Amino acid sequence: MLDIMAAPPVVIWKQEVQRLLHCRDLVPRLEEALGKFSRRDSAEVIQPVRSILPLQKHHGFLGLMPTYMENDGVLSTKLVCFYNREAGSTLPAATATVMLLDPEFGNVKAVIDGEDITKMRTAVVSAISAKLLMCPGADVLAILGTGKQAIAHYNVFTEMFQFKEVRVWSRTRQGVERFCRSASGPVTACVSAEEAVRGADAIVTVTSSTEPVLFGRWVKPGAHVAAVGACRPNWRELDEVLMKEAVVYSDSRDGAMTESGDVILSGAEVFAELGDVINGTKPAHREKTTVFKSLGKYLTFAQFILYGKYFSTIQYIKSCFVYLQQDWELKMRCLLSWFSTNGKPKPVYHEVSCQS
Ligand SMILES: NC(=O)C1=CN([C@@H]2O[C@H](COP(=O)(O)OP(=O)(O)OC[C@H]3O[C@@H](n4cnc5c(N)ncnc54)[C@H](O)[C@@H]3O)[C@@H](O)[C@H]2O)C=CC1
Ligand SMILES: O=C(O)C1=NCCCC1
């Protein structure tokens, strides 16, 4: 009988992810992934709207986010728990783990800490929306919220664009002070969301609010809004006026119509996916007020880059040795299989006797 003896999954944890993942690598890969997704070619990307399991006792949700890219041989899923935290809670709003599987054999190849992937992927996709939809010569960026996503967005937006001023607002003064201490450049601390966004060319909403924090009457015509929070059908960050006046883009039309309270409750139309703009099948209305509603997809390429970089080191050989300590023959076969597949690990087959 032929049995499958897969190498154990590698565990790639926080420090390693931080060392390997860079926003400059992610921009072109995520643009490519967004474009592929919007072409709806099942050999390119299959990525259904995530399934959600309520964690009622903890006011949270488990989201399952599988992706299959047949042409690229990538099968992965993210598991993300996110919460509607009590006001003032210091617990994380979202916690994520990523798993990479072998599509041919079904074994798990890697378990990867998802926190930094989520922070960077989300901020880079918002920055791609700004690259496509923000008016040329944008000077002022406003960030509403001061948590993990807020600082990730600050880092990526200030790396990719030349803003003259970055303003920030949070519900609490401590939040704003903490943000200002961790930001790498000057930030204008604002005492109200209105003060932060009046006259801003780009606005990022990254709060755990379930009610609108950004109102259309404050927003400068032609501004671009990247709306990142409110990922449940009854949660909102933006008011009805803004949703109705703006041209609305999303990462996934189906996702926005299933999961976004900002879209569903306002009845706003999703004009296009970012991928449609990248593919040239829908226009980028830079001259109009635009909203990019982010729901959180497209992590596949992040995992792929990480996995590739990780295995270009000696780590995989080490993990084989640790796992197969007792069996020299299998050790050698595992190594040979690694070399014969150009460093892309495959499960090792071996014969086992059937005991019936
Ligand atoms: N679209 C996407 O791909 C992703 C979305 N998210 C969402 O982004 C949001 C922020 O996530 P993190 O920065 O990780 O959370 P965090 O907990 O680090 O920060 C949350 C921020 O929201 C503020 N906040 C909470 N309740 C508020 C309210 N009622 N009004 C105004 N501000 C309020 C907090 O003061 C804090 O500044 C969450 O809603 C999260 O679910 C997170 C990851 C990916
Ligand atoms: O894509 C993600 O990751 C998340 N999306 C929405 C809510 C929290 C995390």
Side-chain angles (χ1 to χ4, degrees), residues 50 65 78 80 82 93-94 96 118 121-122 228 231 295-297:
R50 75 187 131 214
M65 302 169 67
K78 181 158 98 171
V80 60
F82 57 103
T118 299
R121 179 287 323 266
T122 309
V228 174
C231 297
L295 274 313
K297 315 278 169 196

Side-chain angles (χ1 to χ4, degrees), residues 93 121-122 146-149 171 206-209 228-229 294-296:
R121 179 287 323 266
T122 309
T146 53
K148 291 177 184 166
Q149 282 294 337
R171 279 179 313 172
V206 268
T207 72
S208 303
S209 184
V228 174
S294 162
L295 274 313

Side-chain angles (χ1 to χ4, degrees), residues 207-225:
T207 72
S208 303
S209 184
T210 55
E211 303 293 333
V213 292
L214 179 62
F215 294 84
R217 63 182 183 276
W218 302 339
V219 175
K220 174 173 149 179
H224 175 61
V225 178

